[in-house]
Amino acid sequence: MERRGRESLIFVSLLCLMVTLTESATVTIPVGVILDLNSSLGSITLNCTNLGLLDFYSTHDSYATRLQLHFWHSGNDLLTAAIAAWNLINGKKVHAVLGPQNSEQARYVVELGKTNDVPVIWFSPSGPSLLPPRTRFFIHSNSTRSHCSQFEAIAAIIEAYDWQSVIPIYEDPEFGNDLIPCLSYALQDMDTRMPYISVINQTSTDSQIAGELNKIKAQRTFVFVVHMSLELWSIFAEHAKNAGMMSEGYAWILTQGLSSVMDPEALDVRMKGYMDGALGVRPFVLSNLTKRLSLVRKLKSEYDKTLSLNGLWAYDTITALARAVEKAGLVSFNESGADLRNETGPELRGAILDTDFVGLSGNFNLRQEQLEQSHVVVYNVQGQKERTIGYWSPEKGLVRMQSVRGEPIWPGNTKEIPPKLKVGVPKTHFTEFVDVNGSVEGQHVSVAGFAVDVFKQVVGLLPLPLRYEFVPLNNSDGELTPFSYDDLLCQFADKKVDVDVIIGDITIVVSRTNCVDFTMPYLDSSVSMVVKKTEDDVTGSKSEIKTKDDVRGSKSANKTEENVEGSKSKEKTEDDVTESKAENKTEDDVRGSKSENKTEDDAGGSKSKDFVRNPFLIYMSDVGFLKSGTSKWLVIGVMFILTIVLQVYTANLTSILTDRTNPKPPPWKDVQEIRRSNRKS
């Protein structure tokens, strides 16, 4: 027994000695962490970083390196973050920096780290990144595609619902650097435009936000892409709901930062009903469920926090850094006690880029100097729940769920896809054009008429589906439209009438084109003014008619005979009739006669008579009696000159008849004066 006791004592002593030697052999590597601890993202990142470091070394106790974290609270101030980075790099001699989470702060910290060969992994809205924050003018390339994956998924959603225009709304300056370049790149091959870009600042007042919403509503676009922090979104969404923009007919698409999976505090905003019916995207997380549940319990019990995707990223980021520090072999560099970070920095950066493992947030690697995200979840907000309705990936694109779960519930608790074209229909006495039966709110509206039928036929010919609804433009009592068409169109131009287009018996008038744009006319009403003419006007009108008939003349033999019969000379009429008979007889003689000379004489006589009726009808055989060529050309020239003279005379006569230089004004100015004169008579 004594021998066994001695052996046990020796074993314990050796074990303690090994532990002591191990602890003395480990090298502490200082690492700086810059966070805004007053924000939800900063606090959850701090807690998950501590838990991630403890869990890693509990399972990797053989590592020769240990990370020593130095936290620094930056607040929401750029100068404080810059001072923190300077003190950590030059005072604490840190080998790496985690954070900050603000892009403006990160831009300075990353550049400072490059100057001192200190890798900086900052927490961007899209995940951990070694790249400096992009400006809003950065050029999209294949290397940045993973950074823009959520915006490509949003573009696929826009294309799936045939939305022709969207308005991006982002927070300046934090979130605009990603939204505009990525979304523009994703939409470049689609027929979708961005008529307006809305920028909201963190310091915007209530009146400024309300004014911006009025500008957005004036664009008549009802699909919005929101890319901002949860704090600003909670304020903006309240104003949007008060402005009626969270109701039926609108569509909202939220980027991943507003998902409750990313930030659990989003549930507090949803409890107020500000996000009901919105669509959203977030990264698809596929990892060890057992480890995630363990982290959820620890985070809840020790810090009273709810796990989010940002917390998972922080947990995996500190794990990746611990692996990279060990792989870079910083032990040998640190034994001398000298500051050799200009040598260790590139080694550590390369080790970070080579790190690849399956963490709690899924496959974690920074080979492209940023976290790669290739799969995206598309969800629909219903109350406090995020109901998954589809998935997106670069290989397969948008895949919508085939069940009822794949049909989103839109704002206003409806399944009808927004938006709808609001078609205004005026209510007038001319029901043949537009016949409206319904309330001003558009409930149970029955619309018919010629203008409505034309509109429906045009919509049916469009190459894309067009959802529309008719909005009666009558007052609350259901009476006629309470303004003239001139006032109605100008109110429509000033956005005082909440419709997109107006159809009806609206005449295209020059003055109205200053307010609205008309389609091509589809009906000519041919409306004219009827006024009373004096006796002189009536006489002049008759003479004009007679003169026009004379000018037109008769072109056929039948019309010539009618003119001959109406002639005042009876003898001339009989001669013409005799000549006409002779013509008929001559034609019979030409067909049936055996004498060629007689036929030629008769034919010649017929041509002569044709020449009398139309002296400008020239037969080549008629000039056969002219012997010299000069005579022939002289006759042709004279006939040509006579033709020109006749054309000039005809043109002058026509202009005299159609353009009266001193027209007499009508005795009445308008229809009302005619009616008053009729009452007096």
Side-chain angles (χ1 to χ4, degrees):
M1 293 292 294
E2 293 179 0
R3 184 178 179 181
R4 290 182 179 178
R6 291 173 184 174
E7 291 177 355
S8 299
L9 181 61
I10 293 172
F11 177 77
V12 172
S13 300
L14 290 174
L15 182 61
C16 292
L17 179 61
M18 291 176 61
V19 171
T20 304
L21 291 175
T22 302
E23 291 180 353
S24 62
T26 58
V27 178
T28 301
I29 305 298
V31 174
V33 183
I34 304 175
L35 296 171
D36 181 8
L37 301 179
N38 292 332
S39 65
S40 58
L41 175 59
S43 60
I44 195 69
T45 301
L46 170 66
N47 299 331
C48 290
T49 300
N50 286 326
L51 291 176
L53 195 62
L54 291 175
D55 292 345
F56 179 78
Y57 285 123
S58 64
T59 57
H60 298 80
D61 53 358
S62 62
Y63 272 32
T65 56
R66 292 290 186 273
L67 299 184
Q68 183 182 11
L69 302 181
H70 297 273
F71 291 95
W72 199 292
H73 173 54
S74 64
N76 194 25
D77 183 67
L78 176 61
L79 182 59
T80 303
I83 294 174
W86 180 266
N87 290 334
L88 289 171
I89 293 175
N90 296 284
K92 299 295 183 180
K93 306 295 182 181
V94 297
H95 288 258
V97 175
L98 298 181
Q101 67 223 42
N102 182 282
S103 62
E104 293 298 318
Q105 299 175 10
R107 183 170 290 109
Y108 180 84
V109 174
V110 171
E111 294 299 328
L112 186 61
K114 285 184 177 181
T115 305
N116 296 272
D117 292 319
V118 175
V120 176
I121 306 176
W122 70 288
F123 300 103
S124 73
S126 301
S129 175
L130 286 164
L131 295 172
R134 296 172 175 81
T135 64
R136 64 191 63 187
F137 308 107
F138 85 89
I139 304 300
H140 188 284
S141 63
N142 290 333
S143 62
T144 60
R145 178 167 185 175
S146 61
H147 183 71
C148 295
S149 58
Q150 65 168 326
F151 300 104
E152 293 186 9
I154 290 174
I157 296 173
I158 294 172
E159 185 177 20
Y161 290 107
D162 295 317
W163 288 326
Q164 302 301 307
S165 62
V166 297
I167 292 181
I169 306 173
Y170 69 90
E171 178 181 340
D172 186 52
E174 180 71 12
F175 290 82
N177 300 336
D178 297 334
L179 174 64
I180 302 305
C182 290
L183 189 59
S184 300
Y185 177 82
L187 296 177
Q188 66 179 357
D189 295 331
M190 300 166 50
D191 294 331
T192 303
R193 61 188 183 92
M194 294 186 291
Y196 182 74
I197 298 175
S198 178
V199 182
I200 308 295
N201 197 281
Q202 292 179 346
T203 59
S204 298
T205 61
D206 293 342
S207 60
Q208 290 174 336
I209 295 177
E212 187 65 23
L213 287 173
N214 290 332
K215 294 180 182 178
I216 294 174
K217 293 181 68 175
Q219 301 300 320
R220 306 301 302 176
T221 298
F222 305 94
V223 182
F224 311 106
V225 179
V226 182
H227 189 50
M228 61 179 62
S229 63
L230 183 62
E231 292 79 8
L232 183 59
W233 167 248
S234 61
I235 301 173
F236 181 84
E238 181 179 2
H239 285 276
K241 185 176 182 180
N242 294 335
M245 299 175 65
M246 292 288 182
S247 58
E248 184 177 356
Y250 290 88
W252 295 83
I253 306 177
L254 312 177
T255 55
Q256 63 187 26
L258 298 177
S259 169
S260 61
V261 176
M262 298 287 294
D263 193 341
E265 291 191 7
L267 295 175
D268 298 334
V269 181
R270 293 178 185 175
M271 290 180 64
K272 302 177 182 179
Y274 293 160
M275 305 169 72
D276 288 347
L279 300 183
V281 295
R282 65 169 185 261
F284 177 71
V285 179
L286 181 61
S287 61
N288 192 318
L289 184 59
T290 304
K291 292 183 178 180
R292 287 178 59 187
L293 293 177
S294 176
L295 180 59
V296 169
R297 289 191 293 267
K298 289 182 181 179
L299 196 62
K300 189 66 176 180
S301 61
E302 297 183 17
Y303 301 103
D304 194 23
K305 296 289 185 179
T306 303
L307 182 63
S308 67
L309 185 54
N310 287 312
L312 295 177
W313 283 341
Y315 187 96
D316 289 342
T317 300
I318 196 64
T319 301
L321 184 59
R323 289 173 178 267
V325 167
E326 182 73 16
K327 183 179 180 180
L330 298 187
V331 177
S332 59
F333 290 107
N334 204 45
E335 287 177 348
S336 61
D339 186 8
L340 301 177
R341 286 179 298 177
N342 58 340
E343 300 178 17
T344 62
E347 293 287 339
L348 180 57
R349 183 181 182 85
I352 293 174
L353 296 177
D354 291 339
T355 302
D356 188 0
F357 64 97
V358 179
L360 296 186
S361 61
N363 187 25
F364 191 93
N365 72 78
L366 299 174
R367 292 175 181 173
Q368 300 291 339
E369 297 187 286
Q370 60 187 359
L371 185 64
E372 292 187 1
Q373 302 174 22
S374 57
H375 293 76
V376 177
V377 177
V378 181
Y379 65 88
N380 179 221
V381 179
Q382 295 183 9
Q384 299 185 28
K385 297 181 180 180
E386 294 182 357
R387 187 170 62 92
T388 301
I389 61 174
Y391 300 90
W392 179 89
S393 64
E395 298 80 15
K396 298 182 179 180
L398 181 63
V399 179
R400 300 164 65 178
M401 302 185 68
Q402 300 298 325
S403 61
V404 181
R405 294 185 58 188
E407 299 179 3
I409 304 298
W410 302 98
N413 196 26
T414 178
K415 290 186 177 181
E416 294 185 3
I417 301 175
K420 286 184 177 181
L421 185 72
K422 295 184 178 180
V423 182
V425 282
K427 190 172 184 179
T428 64
H429 290 292
F430 302 100
T431 57
E432 293 81 3
F433 287 95
V434 179
D435 187 10
V436 183
N437 294 312
S439 62
V440 71
E441 292 82 5
Q443 301 295 330
H444 306 294
V445 177
S446 175
V447 181
F450 178 74
V452 177
D453 294 338
V454 172
F455 173 78
K456 291 180 178 179
Q457 288 293 327
V458 172
V459 171
L461 296 176
L462 294 178
L464 48 88
L466 179 64
R467 295 173 288 271
Y468 62 89
E469 61 179 348
F470 293 110
V471 179
L473 298 178
N474 53 303
N475 55 29
S476 57
D477 297 332
E479 298 178 356
L480 303 180
T481 300
F483 14 66
S484 65
Y485 277 160
D486 292 337
D487 296 337
L488 175 62
L489 297 179
C490 289
Q491 288 187 13
F492 172 68
D494 296 336
K495 311 299 181 182
K496 295 181 180 179
V497 180
D498 189 21
V499 294
D500 299 307
V501 297
I502 299 178
I503 62 174
D505 54 334
I506 303 176
T507 305
I508 301 177
V509 182
V510 175
S511 60
R512 295 175 181 176
T513 58
N514 298 326
C515 298
V516 296
D517 293 328
F518 287 94
T519 63
M520 295 296 294
Y522 58 87
L523 179 63
D524 185 7
S525 59
S526 299
V527 177
S528 59
M529 173 69 73
V530 179
V531 296
K532 182 179 180 181
K533 281 196 173 185
T534 61
E535 294 182 358
D536 295 337
D537 294 332
V538 174
T539 305
S541 177
K542 291 181 178 179
S543 63
E544 290 173 6
I545 296 173
K546 183 177 180 181
T547 306
K548 291 180 182 178
D549 292 339
D550 294 337
V551 171
R552 281 195 293 268
S554 177
K555 295 184 179 179
S556 64
N558 294 331
K559 290 184 178 180
T560 303
E561 292 174 1
E562 291 175 1
N563 291 336
V564 170
E565 289 173 359
S567 176
K568 295 180 180 180
S569 177
K570 184 176 180 181
E571 295 177 358
K572 186 176 181 179
T573 303
E574 294 175 353
D575 293 338
D576 290 340
V577 171
T578 304
E579 289 175 1
S580 177
K581 293 180 179 179
E583 289 176 10
N584 296 331
K585 183 178 180 181
T586 302
E587 291 176 358
D588 294 336
D589 293 336
V590 170
R591 287 193 299 266
S593 176
K594 297 182 180 178
S595 175
E596 295 180 356
N597 295 330
K598 185 178 180 180
T599 302
E600 291 177 356
D601 294 340
D602 293 339
S606 177
K607 292 180 181 179
S608 299
K609 294 178 177 57
D610 289 340
F611 184 80
V612 171
R613 295 190 182 94
N614 190 353
F616 302 106
L617 182 62
I618 302 175
Y619 292 92
M620 295 302 298
S621 60
D622 292 338
V623 297
F625 61 90
L626 298 176
K627 301 302 183 181
S628 65
T630 305
S631 301
K632 296 179 180 180
W633 282 109
L634 180 61
V635 171
I636 294 174
V638 171
M639 300 306 295
F640 177 75
I641 293 173
L642 291 177
T643 303
I644 297 298
V645 172
L646 180 62
Q647 294 297 327
V648 172
Y649 170 76
T650 304
N652 291 335
L653 181 60
T654 303
S655 63
I656 293 173
L657 296 176
T658 57
D659 184 15
R660 303 180 64 184
T661 57
N662 296 316
K664 296 181 180 180
W668 294 294
K669 296 181 179 180
D670 52 23
V671 176
Q672 300 298 331
E673 190 171 349
I674 295 176
R675 292 176 179 174
R676 287 194 296 268
S677 63
N678 290 336
R679 294 192 188 100
K680 293 179 182 180
S681 60

